[in-house]
Amino acid sequence: MAPVKGGAKERWVRRAPLLPALIFAIVVTQVPFLVTIYLSTLDWNALRPGDRPFVGVDNYVTVLTDTRLRSALLNTVLLTAGAVIFSMILGLALAVLLDRKFVGRSVVRTLLITPFLVMPIAAALLWKHAIYNPAYGLINGLFGGSTDWISSYPKAAVITTLVWQWTPFMMLILLAGLQSQSEEVLEAARVDGANAWQIFVRMTLPHLRQYLELGALLGSIYLVNTFDAVFSITQGGPGSATTNLPYEIYLTTFRKFEYGEASAAGVIVVILTIIVATFALRVISSLFRMEESR
């Protein structure tokens, strides 16, 4: 039976309760973004009050051609890709473990999720002082020596902290994928003589492809905006070794006081995030279609 279509007035009556939330979302997200775009077209330095000439896209050209900002862009890609890839691998291993039945599985699952519930700034300070500290840190306490891990391996220090916090997120997504796999199909493969490795490589991994894509895309959307770990652990250093785009925007705004350049860099980050989010939404839509077709 075809659904009964109401008139325009009835449709507006049904949508009216949603309008306050829609207006609130527009005010707190789109209006600041439009203001940021406007600021990105000005040559505005807070050290020159009253002088804000319109410069068009010059700030975008500066952002895309400046050596320091290009280095920040490269660091953003390396930190994001490193954290996503390693947390994905560890998350897959833990998901396979939790997909099996053993005593205390619910306790282990709760403990493994805990790092994701810790505030990012608290996690960064924990790793900086309790793990990496050369005088009383856990690593030197266990293995000896006085290595300054943050100064010697700054990128690895930041990536390790992000992997510790984001592995539970990847684990939960991949565990959902594993538990949606048909037991009848796996049992049929075992009856046909396939061993555990062959089942994992030829059946489980292809089944998890979209879950892996979803985890990678959602993780990338969040991790590309990482600020807490860089600010707390390395302050972008040594030099600019770990300065990513969000931290570079912070420096441009609050150290150089170049509000126009900082706004242009912020707009570029938003555009990159929207591109990644678009792919994420497509993957989510394909997952829903796959579930509906079962």
Side-chain angles (χ1 to χ4, degrees):
M1 181 178 176
V4 179
K5 295 184 178 180
K9 183 179 179 181
E10 185 180 346
R11 289 197 295 273
W12 277 107
V13 169
R14 287 201 303 269
R15 295 167 182 168
L18 299 175
L19 280 179
L22 178 62
I23 294 171
F24 177 79
I26 291 174
V27 170
V28 300
T29 61
Q30 303 308 308
V31 172
F33 183 60
L34 292 176
V35 173
T36 304
I37 292 176
Y38 168 68
L39 295 179
S40 70
T41 62
L42 303 178
D43 182 13
W44 182 9
N45 188 309
L47 300 178
R48 300 191 302 270
D51 184 20
R52 305 176 189 175
F54 177 79
V55 293
V57 297
D58 286 1
N59 285 326
Y60 292 93
V61 175
T62 301
V63 169
L64 295 174
T65 57
D66 184 78
T67 305
R68 185 177 176 85
L69 287 168
R70 285 209 304 270
S71 173
L73 179 61
L74 178 61
N75 286 337
T76 303
V77 173
L78 291 176
L79 293 176
T80 304
V84 169
I85 291 171
F86 286 112
S87 61
M88 186 73 73
I89 293 171
L90 288 175
L92 177 60
L94 294 174
V96 171
L97 172 67
L98 291 177
D99 193 42
R100 301 174 182 276
K101 294 181 180 178
F102 58 89
V103 177
R105 183 173 68 166
S106 59
V107 175
V108 173
R109 182 169 52 200
T110 303
L111 292 175
L112 290 175
I113 294 172
T114 304
F116 192 61
L117 305 178
V118 178
M119 291 178 64
I121 187 70
L125 292 174
L126 171 71
W127 277 81
K128 179 180 181 180
H129 294 291
I131 310 292
Y132 295 140
N133 190 285
Y136 53 82
L138 180 63
I139 299 178
N140 286 343
L142 290 175
F143 300 104
S146 57
T147 305
D148 189 344
W149 296 96
I150 295 175
S151 298
S152 303
Y153 310 100
K155 281 193 178 67
V158 174
I159 289 174
T160 302
T161 304
L162 296 174
V163 168
W164 177 78
Q165 190 158 35
W166 280 87
T167 294
F169 175 79
M170 303 299 181
M171 178 192 74
L172 289 175
I173 290 180
L174 296 177
L175 183 59
L178 287 173
Q179 292 182 345
S180 69
Q181 200 171 12
S182 171
E183 282 296 330
E184 289 79 8
V185 173
L186 296 177
E187 186 60 31
R190 294 189 190 98
V191 171
D192 289 340
N195 59 36
W197 177 250
Q198 289 171 329
I199 292 175
F200 179 75
V201 172
R202 298 181 182 179
M203 301 182 67
T204 303
L205 277 184
H207 172 76
L208 290 177
R209 182 180 66 84
Q210 288 177 307
Y211 294 91
L212 290 166
E213 292 175 356
L214 177 63
L217 289 170
L218 292 180
S220 299
I221 290 172
Y222 284 98
L223 288 170
V224 78
N225 293 307
T226 296
F227 177 82
D228 312 70
V230 174
F231 177 79
S232 303
I233 297 175
T234 64
Q235 291 277 311
S240 59
T242 56
T243 300
N244 61 354
L245 276 177
Y247 190 70
E248 182 61 33
I249 293 172
Y250 165 79
L251 293 178
T252 305
T253 304
F254 296 106
R255 303 285 176 83
K256 295 171 62 179
F257 301 103
E258 290 284 358
Y259 294 169
E261 284 184 22
S263 299
V267 171
I268 290 174
V269 172
V270 170
I271 292 172
L272 293 176
T273 306
I274 289 173
I275 293 172
V276 177
T278 302
F279 283 106
L281 290 174
R282 288 185 178 181
V283 172
I284 292 172
S285 299
S286 66
L287 277 173
F288 280 123
R289 286 197 297 271
M290 187 175 69
E291 291 295 330
E292 289 173 355
S293 64
R294 288 178 178 176

